[in-house]
Amino acid sequence: MSLRVLGCSGAIAAGCKTTSFLLDERILIDAGTGVGDLTLDELARIDHVLLTHSHLDHVLSIPLLADAVLRRRRAARASPIQVHGLPDTLEALQTHLFNGVIWPDFTRLPSPQEPSLRLIPFQIGQRLELASRRIIEVLPAAHTVAACGFALRALSTEQWLVYTGDTGPNPLLWARLAQLPIRHLIIEAAFGDDEAELASLSRHHCPHSLALELRQLQGQRPAPEIWITHIKPGETQAVMAQLAAQAGLPAIPHALQAGQVLALD
């Protein structure tokens, strides 16, 4: 498996793209501005989009993707792109995005019988098998809207790559992670400790709250590689320094970078 980081920033600036990952060339995990770095051929190969939640920095490329590949996928007689999410997430897309006002409703275009997009609900705890026999488990998240994360299983070994999505402190997540042999953990720290109150209100992590959670992995051997995502532009050095100063972490965290490829298989 290869997970290609298209974007991992908490906002936009030159060189900073919001969250999106490309899995096995055909599965998009979240659809932030990083999707725009894919070629048209790469975009046309995407069959599935998995969403952690409905916030704009994670979904804004879906309407543009549908528009960009419509002609190519129709010519190839490809099936509609399947957009998978929690029921509340999909309802938000239909109500606020694909409503004919913000963007045309590509769940009914070019026709209701053969749309560009099809919305597919899932539930927390559900296991999906979408392409190449890849098993993806939907994990709980704790955010300001309905949200989830994903655990991606290696094809030939019991090893997992975990992406938590946007989340603050979350006991249910860590109870499940304690049961998984994790090789890579992608987890967020959206704010520095000087904005800990804002992090708490918006249900994100800062280095202090994240360290409290990461210490729960101390018993895992070998320790997973820890990758920090969703840092705001210009804040990476400060956030990572604050995190490095925390005692008792199971491994040294690293800042995730756009263009990075994480291997599991």
Side-chain angles (χ1 to χ4, degrees):
M1 177 191 76
S2 66
L3 186 75
R4 178 177 164 191
V5 183
L6 305 177
C8 56
S9 178
I12 59 169
C16 297
K17 311 292 176 65
T18 66
T19 303
S20 188
F21 305 92
L22 185 64
L23 172 65
D24 297 335
E25 298 188 346
R26 295 192 175 276
I27 301 172
L28 203 59
I29 299 178
D30 279 336
T33 60
V35 176
D37 284 347
L38 295 175
T39 67
L40 187 56
D41 286 342
E42 289 173 320
L43 292 171
R45 284 197 290 269
I46 294 170
D47 293 322
H48 301 274
V49 182
L50 300 177
L51 296 177
T52 57
H53 65 295
S54 60
H55 282 164
L56 189 63
D57 56 326
H58 294 254
V59 305
L60 62 84
S61 285
I62 300 173
L64 302 175
L65 166 66
D67 201 8
V69 302
L70 174 61
R71 181 182 294 272
R72 287 197 177 206
R73 289 184 66 89
R74 289 194 76 190
R77 298 186 178 277
S79 299
I81 298 171
Q82 296 187 19
V83 180
H84 306 260
L86 295 168
D88 285 354
T89 301
L90 300 183
E91 182 180 357
L93 291 184
Q94 191 74 74
T95 302
H96 301 294
L97 193 55
F98 295 112
N99 58 9
V101 177
I102 300 299
W103 201 254
D105 185 1
F106 277 94
T107 69
R108 298 180 60 82
L109 293 173
S111 72
Q113 295 75 30
E114 296 183 352
S116 298
L117 303 175
R118 183 163 287 132
L119 305 183
I120 311 292
F122 57 54
Q123 301 294 335
I124 300 296
Q126 187 173 339
R127 286 196 170 186
L128 314 173
E129 190 170 343
L130 301 181
S132 304
R133 300 180 294 110
R134 175 76 58 206
I135 293 174
I136 302 172
E137 181 174 328
V138 184
L139 298 173
H143 199 34
T144 55
V145 294
C148 66
F150 300 109
L152 320 176
R153 188 187 184 278
L155 290 177
S156 56
T157 62
E158 186 63 21
Q159 293 285 313
W160 295 78
L161 184 153
V162 170
Y163 162 50
T164 66
D166 288 12
T167 187
N170 183 7
L172 291 176
L173 171 67
W174 294 95
R176 180 60 184 130
L177 295 192
Q179 302 169 336
L180 297 177
I182 304 169
R183 180 171 172 186
H184 297 284
L185 173 63
I186 301 173
I187 191 165
E188 63 122 293
F191 296 96
D193 282 336
D194 58 320
E195 294 184 302
E197 183 176 356
L198 180 56
S200 178
L201 287 172
S202 58
R203 304 195 80 175
H204 283 288
H205 274 302
C206 63
H208 176 72
S209 66
L210 179 55
L212 293 174
E213 306 270 271
L214 291 176
R215 291 183 187 118
Q216 299 180 60
L217 294 175
Q218 285 179 327
Q220 287 215 7
R221 294 291 182 271
E225 294 189 68
I226 301 171
W227 304 98
I228 307 303
T229 188
H230 213 280
I231 305 174
K232 297 291 191 295
E235 299 295 322
T236 299
Q237 184 175 354
V239 168
M240 295 307 297
Q242 291 169 6
L243 195 52
Q246 301 290 326
L249 299 183
I252 298 172
H254 302 280
L256 197 66
Q257 297 181 13
Q260 192 171 344
V261 176
L262 300 182
L264 188 57
D265 296 325

